[in-house]
Amino acid sequence: MHVQRVVLNSRPGKDGVPVPENFRLEEISLTPELKDGEVLVRTNYLSVDPYMRCRMNEDTGAEYLIAWQLSECLDGGGVGVVESSCCSSCSEGDVVTSFNWPWQTHAVMKGSVLQKLNPQLVDGHLSYFLGAVGITGLTALLGMREKGHVSKGANQTLVVSGAAGACGSIAGQIGRLDGCARVVGICGSEEKCKALVEDLGFSAAINYRQDDVPAKLKECCPDGVNVYFDNVGGAISDTVIEQMNNGGHVILCGQISQYNKDVPYPPPLNDKTQETLQKKHITRERFMVLSYMSKAEAALCELSQWVKSGQIKVLETTVNGIENMGVAFCSMMKGGNIGKQIIKISE
Ligand code: NDP
């Protein structure tokens, strides 16, 4: 059987911006003869995520990430269906997922690395398992719950950066559902600002490419900022932290504005911001969703119910075809997505 796959063609280089030419499409032949414990899967959807930028370097800068190797098949979050199985825990027709799904149209995988999914949790929208009812939703929910200290009736203001992206769009909605009095999003276009306020129920939105961020933030957060869900780091985060109240909480989710720089994670803060954190007793602990997987099952049920009831709206940007993995990744890194960036590989 002939299958297509995507390999790493080249690395972006020191402090380099990734380009679609860093990725290469290949055709290979796959012998679907399964050994004991193996399954043949057909890929339905693949995910591109910011952390993959670190995997493109020879040194990922993070101890939990393994560098992708040149000319080898890439991998990440994926969802697909079992076409044949030599594994007792998987049957033909099962919908399955893995964090290390090969960027390949069909693949032979060990059944033991696959998790079985219940399509009813997403009303058949299987791509949601890579987003709102998958690792992205878990990051938003567990990040808010573990590090946000939100309590109903406490009149808290939540600010979310990267607010129109996969994690940010869900985190802001959870902030509203969990009882924040005001939820303000920061993102990179007018179209995104409109979606946040009109579709997702954010109180206000700031376009960091156009607006005077410090002034607009003051206007949108007249009582200051209590909780900050930080997806981007850099100058935007310095500005938000400057306007935080005493005893506030930063949820250190990600720092995408620094990912094209070869710096360790998390990148160091400047002295002024560091001083503000200390002076105002603001917490800023690193959050890693993978450290909380014992809470994943219950959290996924909660997310599924919110999505099915319409209390959380899901935004996705979908690109078709495995040949577009590199284009989709580079586009997401530059803000081409609203909501979760998904690549549809097959029906
Ligand atoms: P998104 O869907 O949010 O996509 C990335 C977005 O980042 C883009 O759409 C773009 O939106 C924004 N962006 C890119 N460059 C910049 C910049 N220089 N300044 C400001 N914004 C920028 O991705 P995810 O939701 O998957 O990830 C969001 C963050 O969460 C990342 O930092 C990621 O590493 C982190 N993460 C952390 C996890 C954890 O366990 N801690 C798990 C999963 C994700 P715009 O148009 O607004 O610029």
Side-chain angles (χ1 to χ4, degrees), residues 25-99:
L25 184 72
E26 288 183 345
E27 200 163 292
I28 56 158
S29 66
L30 188 73
T31 340
E33 272 164 31
L34 302 178
K35 295 197 201 89
D36 200 27
E38 287 182 340
V39 297
L40 173 71
V41 290
R42 176 166 52 83
T43 309
N44 292 135
Y45 296 99
L46 292 173
S47 173
V48 285
D49 299 271
Y51 77 87
M52 292 172 174
R53 173 62 189 83
C54 305
R55 297 193 70 189
M56 295 180 84
N57 294 343
E58 221 158 352
D59 175 3
T60 63
E63 70 288 347
Y64 60 95
L65 291 176
I66 300 169
W68 279 334
Q69 296 305 312
L70 288 174
S71 294
E72 284 193 6
C73 186
L74 304 179
D75 66 297
V79 169
V81 62
V82 173
E83 288 205 333
S84 52
S85 174
C86 266
C87 173
S88 55
S89 59
C90 294
S91 316
E92 203 182 309
D94 281 352
V95 176
V96 289
T97 187
S98 161
F99 294 140

